Amino acid sequence: MQNGSIVVALAGNPNSGKTTIFNDLTGMRQHVGNYPGVTVEKRSGVVNHNGHRIEIIDLPGIYSLTAFSEEEIVARNFILQEKPDVIIDVIDSSSLERNLYLAVQFLEIGIPIVLDFNMADVARGKGMRVDIGLLSELLGMPIIETVGSKGKGIEGLLDAVIEVTGKKNRKRIEIPYVEEIENAVEKIIPLLEVENDGMLMKRWFAVKLLEQDEDVANRLREKNGRGFEKLQEVVSNSINHIKDVMGVSPDVLIADSRYGFIKGALHEAHQEADSGNIDITEKLDSILTNRLLGIPIFAFIMWLMFQFVFTLGQYPMGWIETGFEKLSTLLNGIISNGIMRSLIVDGIIGGVGGVLVFTPNIALLFFAIALLEDSGYMARAAFVMDRVMHRIGLHGKSFIPLIIGFGCTVPAYMSSRILENKKDRLVTMHINTFCSCSARLPVYILLAGTFFPAIAGNVIFSIYLIGIFFAVIMAKVLRATRFRGELEPFVMELPHYRIPTFKGALIHTWDRIWMYIKKAGTVILLISIAMWGLFTFPMIGEDDYSGDYISQKKEIEESYQAGDISAESYSEQISEIEGKMNAEKLEFSAAGRIGKFIEPVFRPLGFDWKMVVASISGIAAKEVVVSSFSTLFSIGGVDETSESLRDRIKNSYHPLVGYNFMLFTLLYFPCMASMAVFRREAGTKEMLFQIFYTLGLAWVVCMIVYQIGKFFI
Amino acid sequence: MFGRSKRIRRTTGRYGSMTLAYAVPGKKYRIIGIAGGCRLSGRLYAMGVMPNEIFTVYTYSRGGPMCITLKGTKYAIGRGMTERIFIEEA
Ligand SMILES: Nc1nc2c(ncn2[C@@H]2O[C@H](COP(=O)(O)OP(=O)(O)OP(=O)(O)O)[C@@H](O)[C@H]2O)c(=O)[nH]1
Ligand SMILES: [Mg+2]
């Protein structure tokens, strides 16, 4: 108990509702989803209850105290090293026997436990009956029933926490093991040099050694020092002896005893459901995970998702666009100072507005992903894709981070923690960038809408498909070169389907949208202003133009006054000259010079310096590609003409180049923020590899596309 | 001929029985053992996939991943894993 507050860990099997309970307890809004492995990091929050300050820590789900994947290590280390005062073990009541397996292990390490029988509604719906009082007595732990998704039973949970912390001599139940195990445990205990502080008991260490838990062995190697060799010898002798006598290894016997203890308790206090009722999950699964239909259905769902995002998003997008255009026109009239006007209209409204326009699409995308996550389909997608993923040297579980990557690559990198094997994890992270994130969507919508207005939805979908294609290819390449190795076999629990709560999906969507808007108002605002500065300064002087445009303009003026040319031809000629002047003005600016300098590298791709500058600025965040484009074409536009941004872009490039630019945006690494996370998760070397190989790939692919495409245009 | 003998070796592993990869929907099976070392089997036990448990298969593709129901819980078992779980008809 640090400075008077009680530290409570929320632990339990994956997908049992820990984060839901955490949100109920603390009023926070951490991400909840219906598949195992949503939470991959610990999160803490505080609640005050009856004068006690309680610090709650939400942990990733675990099946046992032997950790396999990165996120399980987070949970296990918190429990074993930071030793919370109380563990609330969140249990899926509809699957008690398996969930209690972990509870029994908590019992053995001696930290006070409160059992939270969550999903009580589901259990009841299945017709299960539990005698809570009796079971609590048999297991020696208080039990509270809750329905996390409806916020029921939360108070009781807090009362129970305070009660167990106050209790001194708690009754401690020991799991009885078979005789051979008990004998071995007795032999091992005297050799252990760990302090028996009543928490991590020697008995638990001994049992773990017999289970051949590598992590516990390593821990003891440190603590026991020289005595460790003796200990190791005794342990391995015991294991061999048990194998000889019993014919199975100790871990099987230990697991059997634990399940035996649980079954014994449940036998008395629990009534199973009368089976035979139709299982909706199984019915749905027989279609959705069908051998033949599974993949086509998955592809259709993805297609539907992008159509939904693009088609439905178009209307509100149009309204916001019109709004910003009106605002620009209005401000153009009000602000008289040329530079100020350009900063506000071209730089800020062009840049930030250019990004905000896509808010509805981003909202729809995150809403769609939230539905996928909440319904339980996510885990099925992993299953369905297992066969495909196998061909490229990954397994189905890798698909979960990949799908999350369609929203944002940062949580996707985090989510790859659920992969148990380090190489699987690195390959998955390295290919995640090809699952095009939502920040790139604005680039596609802008360019596809500009160059291919009639079939924009399908063009965008094609970009996504190409992304998946490269994910597959690169996975295969990486697997064959840098990350060779055995494929880890996988087993995953499939959650029951659940009708997604509209409210939950909306809340999640709103959180993401708010992040997007905040980002537009901060990072993107700053970068837009900086980019505007780079596009504007140094300003071109009259002498710096390549031709004497001023006198040319004067001549035209004069001949018009004299009646030599018609009004039509007059304005045509004038705007032609102004167009030239604007182009030179931009090229004279800092950004123009940098772009011009690098342009030769990108010329084989068909890009001009503006595209180069937009791509470079996109390293900060992919949305900035759009904002830079908007600012560029806004500054470059001739004031009098009412050409829209789209028309200006359309008149500047061939559609092939437009498409190629989308490809380039798709293929190079996502953004600075994501690279920081990449570094934290995988190290500097891997991050640098990611940056350079994606840039190289993007360049090569786009070069080939342009060089071949050139012949057809 | 060689293909056949290879297949026999694969179906009958060290437990002298067939693997999950050859299970079909509509029948009940019992798990009798898991190959692949303590780490892997420990993992499966903790998830509730234990020797002596009875299960059914409900999505199946030869050589591919499978879905099974065991005590009301559904599991996706990846390809590769299906060859390490030894079973018999129950
Ligand atoms: N019916 C019902 N659903 C619930 C209940 N509690 C949580 N859920 C749902 O169960 C799913 C999993 O909830 P989470 O809170 O994300 O589970 P978790 O234990 O944090 O999962 P991981 O972080 O993946 O380990 C979500 O779809 C929740 O809406 C409940 O009491 N009843
Ligand atoms: Mg969670």
Side-chain angles (χ1 to χ4, degrees):
Chain A
M1 246 164 279
Q2 294 139 2
N3 42 35
S5 71
I6 307 171
V7 178
V8 178
L10 280 169
N13 283 180
N15 209 38
S16 62
K18 297 174 295 298
T19 307
T20 311
I21 297 287
F22 176 81
N23 290 345
D24 289 340
L25 285 167
T26 60
M28 286 165 76
R29 287 211 303 240
Q30 292 301 323
H31 189 32
V32 162
N34 187 20
Y35 62 92
V38 179
T39 309
V40 293
E41 230 181 3
K42 59 179 188 217
R43 282 279 145 73
S44 73
V46 170
V47 58
N48 287 304
H49 186 70
N50 294 345
H52 296 266
R53 185 175 181 278
I54 305 178
E55 190 186 346
I56 314 257
I57 288 108
D58 183 27
L59 295 173
I62 45 175
Y63 287 105
S64 78
L65 280 169
T66 308
F68 286 82
S69 47
E70 211 68 30
E71 103 276 20
E72 290 178 349
I73 292 171
V74 171
R76 169 213 172 103
N77 283 357
F78 183 81
I79 290 168
L80 293 184
Q81 284 166 10
E82 296 181 38
K83 293 178 190 163
D85 300 312
V86 179
I87 296 173
I88 298 181
D89 182 356
V90 181
I91 278 173
D92 173 355
S93 312
S94 66
S95 175
L96 279 182
E97 195 179 303
R98 198 213 48 229
N99 276 261
L100 284 171
Y101 187 76
L102 181 64
V104 164
Q105 295 186 60
F106 288 151
L107 198 67
E108 291 185 303
I109 58 173
I111 297 174
I113 319 271
V114 172
L115 291 181
D116 172 358
F117 277 26
N118 192 33
M119 310 215 178
D121 55 332
V122 180
R124 220 165 289 142
K126 283 190 177 170
M128 295 176 180
R129 297 269 173 282
V130 195
D131 182 342
I132 295 285
L134 180 58
L135 191 59
S136 165
E137 186 73 20
L138 291 169
L139 295 173
M141 304 180 253
I143 298 174
I144 310 293
E145 279 189 287
T146 62
V147 181
S149 48
K150 297 206 174 71
K152 278 187 199 157
I154 301 302
E155 290 285 310
L157 219 45
L158 290 171
D159 291 338
V161 164
I162 288 166
E163 204 191 309
V164 293
T165 38
K167 224 187 254 172
K168 280 288 164 281
N169 301 310
R170 270 172 295 119
K171 184 174 112 190
R172 185 169 286 156
I173 289 184
E174 255 177 26
I175 313 298
Y177 291 110
V178 288
E179 208 185 322
E180 277 72 17
I181 299 279
E182 291 288 355
N183 290 343
V185 166
E186 246 164 64
K187 257 190 260 168
I188 294 168
I189 285 180
L191 298 173
L192 291 170
E193 285 168 28
V194 288
E195 67 278 30
N196 211 349
D197 59 357
M199 294 288 246
L200 298 175
M201 297 183 299
K202 287 188 173 177
R203 183 179 165 83
W204 181 76
F205 273 107
V207 171
K208 272 295 178 198
L209 285 174
L210 289 173
E211 275 186 292
Q212 298 177 44
D213 185 311
E214 282 164 32
D215 191 78
V216 163
N218 288 336
R219 200 172 298 218
L220 287 174
R221 196 191 305 271
E222 282 165 30
K223 285 194 178 169
N224 257 27
R226 263 174 292 119
F228 184 70
E229 263 157 42
K230 174 96 180 38
L231 176 66
Q232 213 172 18
E233 198 189 308
V234 173
V235 170
S236 68
N237 283 345
S238 304
I239 291 173
N240 287 335
H241 175 72
I242 291 166
K243 272 186 188 159
D244 281 347
V245 178
M246 305 294 288
V248 282
S249 59
D251 58 318
V252 179
L253 294 172
I254 292 169
D256 255 341
S257 304
R258 288 187 186 137
Y259 275 118
F261 172 78
I262 296 164
K263 277 181 187 153
L266 287 179
H267 181 73
E268 288 185 42
H270 178 239
Q271 215 173 15
E272 262 301 332
D274 39 330
S275 57
N277 50 353
I278 36 159
D279 190 329
I280 298 169
T281 294
E282 221 161 286
K283 279 251 149 56
L284 269 172
D285 266 350
S286 66
I287 303 166
L288 294 177
T289 65
N290 183 283
R291 182 161 57 107
L292 299 173
L293 298 176
I295 292 179
I297 291 176
F298 172 70
F300 178 70
I301 290 177
M302 295 306 273
W303 179 81
L304 208 64
M305 188 164 114
F306 291 112
Q307 287 296 325
F308 166 78
V309 167
F310 187 76
T311 320
L312 215 65
Q314 234 174 353
Y315 303 100
M317 185 179 95
W319 305 330
I320 301 176
E321 214 169 13
T322 319
F324 278 118
E325 270 163 23
K326 290 229 168 87
L327 187 64
S328 295
T329 321
L330 187 74
L331 290 173
N332 261 332
I334 296 174
I335 308 169
S336 52
N337 181 313
I339 291 208
M340 270 313 277
R341 185 172 58 204
S342 174
L343 170 64
I344 291 173
V345 174
D346 302 330
I348 296 177
I349 298 184
V352 176
V355 168
L356 282 180
V357 160
F358 299 100
T359 313
N361 304 93
I362 306 290
L364 289 170
L365 181 64
F366 278 107
F367 187 72
I369 293 178
L371 293 186
L372 281 186
E373 287 189 304
D374 243 20
S375 62
Y377 184 73
M378 202 70 147
R380 272 70 189 187
F383 174 83
V384 165
M385 293 305 288
D386 186 60
R387 223 162 356 143
V388 179
M389 300 299 277
H390 228 85
R391 296 236 171 86
I392 62 172
L394 289 174
H395 58 57
K397 236 175 164 179
S398 288
F399 220 72
I400 291 177
L402 294 181
I403 294 179
I404 292 172
F406 286 120
C408 176
T409 320
V410 170
Y413 285 152
M414 303 292 292
S415 161
S416 61
R417 285 184 178 185
I418 61 174
L419 297 166
E420 284 136 37
N421 181 300
K422 178 114 193 272
K423 285 179 179 165
D424 289 357
R425 194 170 154 227
L426 284 175
V427 172
T428 308
M429 286 176 74
H430 276 310
I431 64 171
N432 213 316
T433 183
F434 305 125
C435 291
S436 192
C437 72
S438 64
R440 291 161 174 160
L441 190 60
V443 183
Y444 307 149
I445 296 175
L446 178 67
L447 294 178
T450 301
F451 293 109
F452 316 96
I455 48 162
N458 288 326
V459 167
I460 294 174
F461 189 60
S462 81
I463 291 284
Y464 278 89
L465 286 184
I466 291 172
I468 293 172
F469 171 77
F470 276 105
V472 167
I473 297 286
M474 285 320 297
K476 198 149 181 111
V477 171
L478 289 173
R479 258 299 187 195
T481 54
R482 285 196 66 211
F483 304 99
R484 281 163 194 265
E486 271 281 295
L487 187 58
E488 192 102 340
F490 100 107
V491 182
M492 189 173 57
E493 203 184 325
L494 292 171
H496 288 270
Y497 285 106
R498 199 165 282 142
I499 294 173
T501 51
F502 202 63
K503 196 178 129 217
L506 274 186
I507 287 177
H508 182 57
T509 308
W510 170 248
D511 286 345
R512 298 300 314 197
I513 281 305
W514 187 230
M515 268 172 74
Y516 186 76
I517 294 175
K518 264 201 303 209
K519 193 170 165 195
T522 52
V523 180
I524 292 174
L525 174 66
L526 286 177
I527 296 173
S528 294
I529 294 174
M531 289 310 291
W532 173 84
L534 288 175
F535 290 142
T536 308
F537 302 105
M539 283 173 117
I540 196 165
E542 272 184 31
D543 305 334
D544 297 321
Y545 286 113
S546 66
D548 190 356
Y549 295 127
I550 310 288
S551 41
Q552 278 179 27
K553 261 167 101 173
K554 211 171 271 167
E555 258 169 49
I556 296 167
E557 187 101 355
E558 276 163 11
S559 49
Y560 174 58
Q561 300 288 7
D564 292 345
I565 51 171
S566 67
E568 202 176 300
S569 127
Y570 162 75
S571 64
E572 214 170 78
Q573 286 184 32
I574 287 284
S575 65
E576 192 188 320
I577 289 175
E578 280 182 351
K580 275 189 198 157
M581 287 174 76
N582 266 320
E584 284 189 24
K585 196 164 82 187
L586 270 175
E587 283 173 22
F588 194 80
S589 70
R593 290 168 199 211
I594 297 169
K596 276 274 175 191
F597 180 71
I598 308 175
E599 194 185 57
V601 179
F602 287 90
R603 209 166 287 139
L605 284 60
F607 296 175
D608 68 347
W609 73 267
K610 294 181 186 174
M611 285 180 157
V612 174
V613 169
S615 287
I616 294 175
S617 66
I619 290 173
K622 281 271 158 94
E623 296 96 333
V624 176
V625 172
V626 162
S627 85
S628 292
F629 246 94
S630 311
T631 308
L632 260 170
F633 283 91
S634 179
I635 296 178
V638 183
D639 290 338
E640 283 91 317
T641 53
S642 60
E643 256 188 334
S644 72
L645 174 66
R646 279 165 204 263
D647 291 333
R648 284 182 210 152
I649 295 174
K650 193 171 187 162
N651 294 335
S652 306
Y653 303 106
H654 187 275
L656 172 68
V657 178
Y659 193 83
N660 217 14
F661 189 69
M662 287 193 257
L663 266 186
F664 192 78
T665 308
L666 164 77
L667 295 176
Y668 81 94
F669 64 92
C671 62
M672 242 141 62
S674 71
M675 285 304 101
V677 174
F678 203 111
R679 184 167 164 213
R680 202 183 62 209
E681 296 287 306
T684 311
K685 190 178 131 211
E686 292 302 328
M687 178 199 72
L688 290 175
F689 177 71
Q690 164 76 15
I691 289 177
F692 288 110
Y693 109 80
T694 54
L695 277 175
L697 182 77
W699 191 89
V700 170
V701 170
C702 293
M703 192 268 290
I704 293 172
V705 168
Y706 183 67
Q707 293 304 328
I708 293 175
K710 237 176 22 180
F711 291 110
F712 299 95
I713 59 176
Chain B
M1 186 191 146
F2 289 110
R4 197 177 160 80
S5 67
K6 199 172 153 201
R7 187 155 132 200
I8 290 170
R9 217 179 318 138
R10 259 176 61 182
T11 46
T12 60
R14 89 165 118 126
Y15 293 87
S17 62
M18 69 169 174
T19 61
L20 175 58
Y22 292 84
V24 291
K27 280 187 188 163
K28 283 189 173 172
Y29 298 95
R30 179 182 294 112
I31 298 175
I32 49 180
I34 291 157
C38 273
R39 245 176 85 81
L40 192 68
S41 50
R43 163 69 152 201
L44 288 171
Y45 299 163
M47 291 180 80
V49 179
M50 282 277 290
N52 290 325
E53 297 288 1
I54 310 272
F55 68 91
T56 54
V57 173
Y58 71 95
T59 299
Y60 133 102
S61 59
R62 174 140 299 175
M66 287 192 174
C67 295
I68 66 166
T69 304
L70 191 157
K71 285 231 189 73
T73 305
K74 316 241 170 317
Y75 300 89
I77 309 220
R79 190 181 140 161
M81 191 68 230
T82 53
E83 275 157 24
R84 300 188 189 204
I85 299 177
F86 295 94
I87 58 169
E88 63 184 18
E89 273 185 45

